[in-house]
Amino acid sequence: MSSGRILVVDDDAAIRTVLAEALRSEGHTIALAASIAEMEGKIGSFDPELLITDVILPDGNGLDQISSVLQRRPDLPVIVLSAQNTLATAVRATEQGAFEYLPKPFDLDELCRAVGDGLRSRANRGAAAPEAIKEDLPLIGRSPAMQDVYRTIARVVSNELTVLVFGESGTGKELVARAIHDLGPRRQKPFVAINMAAIPRDLIESELFGHERGAFTGAQARTAGKFELAQGGTLFLDEIGDMPMEAQTRLLRVLQQGEFTTVGGARPIRADVRIIAATHKDLPALIAANGFREDLYYRLNVVPVTLPPLRERVGDIPELARHFLDRAAQEGLSRKRLGDDALARLATHGWPGNVRELENLMRRLAALSREELISARQIDQALMGGPGESVPIPFIGKGLEDAVEVHLSGYFASFGDDLPPDGLYDRVLAEVEAPLLRLTLAAVRGNQLRAADLLGINRNTLRKKLTDHGIDPSRVRRGTG
């Protein structure tokens, strides 16, 4: 790695010390600053070759300074560190001209790699003034699992690259597409979404490309398709894995040639759209089963974005839940609050329906709960499909098998004519396993050896299961969880 002069700006002395030691061990020369004023002085006297800056500083916002710094030093790579960890911060850092954005707590190895990349990439860097970034963006959460999503979005909003969003049903794939559109240069043009799984197979081509009068039985007038309606804007192809093979072939041709014809038409129409696709399916497996075109997959998968399921971002649940309750109140429902026990209960649920399931649960509680403060008991009842406090808990007076059957019957019914997401077997076992582990530990006062014997498993297996479910034995021993 080539060495360089690096200026570190952070008001936390411990972070400055850690960064200085790590970077000096890599052979770099380091200068430190605790404020914007100190940074300005060091830029002149130290003449850094790379700048690392925090966002919140005692005398201002570090992001606000990037543009002016780059106007004077367009060749200076800037790495932004932030504990705010929101999509708005990631996008704003990128649009201000930052070379890299790293959320706190950051990985030292990743930071050192970014420093090396920044020093190698020194080049003239223009710093056009960016538009203001809205803070009320649709994606919510500051968990580590969401940071890669934010950073990828920040890097693609200003270009026209095709994006393929992977994620389970209910994780918010359309919200990612809308964020990319709303923050990009096409924001003033239409955002058009089409769900491949919701359209009859024989109508998909007509829906996408439109049709001429008389093109088929019932086509009494010319109708514009989604490509035409989205001209100049963004076309979101949701559940692309459900697209029929013949429609895949035509879509591939449009992506290759940049133009399309309506069904029954002969005049080519230029396709001026940005494509964002999404799926909950395993496309490589579909390709292997001859259910999806490999060449179309590579055309779509230019920039992949993988949304984590809610069970992998448990730390975001309180913020998301409160957001959905606030939205319900804004829509005229009663304002509710979540008790600490309710938040703890939400963290233990498996969330097979992901963020969509959480939103529906919060709306149901806002509409049906009599009390302002929502308890864990009300969460349990709502998860079982009960309308408020009047529904008896199925476990009372029934065997476990009957209780599980009641719960699963309500769960299947909640999807209407649709089916739950794939992987139901493992999710159901996980939901049974977590409370079994907690209650067993509580019964033996946190003694893991006794708990393993009681469960009939070895201690290493117990430890792994506790880690997988995020259960802290010490908290159980104290009677706090």
Side-chain angles (χ1 to χ4, degrees), residues 164-185:
L164 181 56
V165 187
F166 298 92
E168 296 178 6
S169 296
T171 48
K173 296 186 289 294
E174 184 169 346
L175 294 181
V176 170
R178 285 190 176 275
I180 293 172
H181 172 79
D182 291 344
L183 295 169

Side-chain angles (χ1 to χ4, degrees), residues 294-356:
E294 186 173 15
D295 44 6
L296 177 58
Y297 171 70
Y298 290 117
R299 276 281 178 176
L300 295 172
N301 194 30
V302 178
V303 179
V305 177
T306 300
L307 273 177
L310 189 55
R311 61 184 174 275
E312 293 180 7
R313 44 181 299 214
V314 174
D316 290 335
I317 289 177
E319 185 178 3
L320 284 164
R322 294 185 185 106
H323 169 76
F324 292 136
L325 287 176
D326 288 343
R327 180 188 291 176
Q330 292 167 6
E331 294 172 357
L333 295 175
S334 300
R335 184 168 292 281
K336 306 293 182 185
R337 294 183 298 111
L338 291 162
D340 291 342
D341 61 331
L343 289 172
R345 176 63 185 92
L346 291 176
T348 66
H349 184 54
W351 301 110
N354 291 296
V355 179
R356 185 185 295 122

Side-chain angles (χ1 to χ4, degrees), residues 249-294:
T249 301
R250 191 161 182 186
L251 174 61
L252 177 63
R253 190 177 306 120
V254 174
L255 297 179
Q256 290 173 334
Q257 299 175 356
E259 59 184 25
F260 64 94
T261 57
T262 59
V263 176
R267 180 177 62 88
I269 302 172
R270 180 170 173 265
D272 178 20
V273 298
R274 180 177 192 169
I275 298 292
I276 302 176
T279 183
H280 75 279
K281 294 189 173 181
D282 184 346
L283 292 188
L286 277 179
I287 292 169
N290 296 318
F292 200 84
R293 291 189 60 124
E294 186 173 15

Side-chain angles (χ1 to χ4, degrees), residues 39 153 253 275 325 368 401 417 439 446:
M39 176 187 75
I153 292 174
R253 190 177 306 120
I275 298 292
L325 287 176
L368 301 178
E401 181 178 349
D417 295 332
L439 290 170

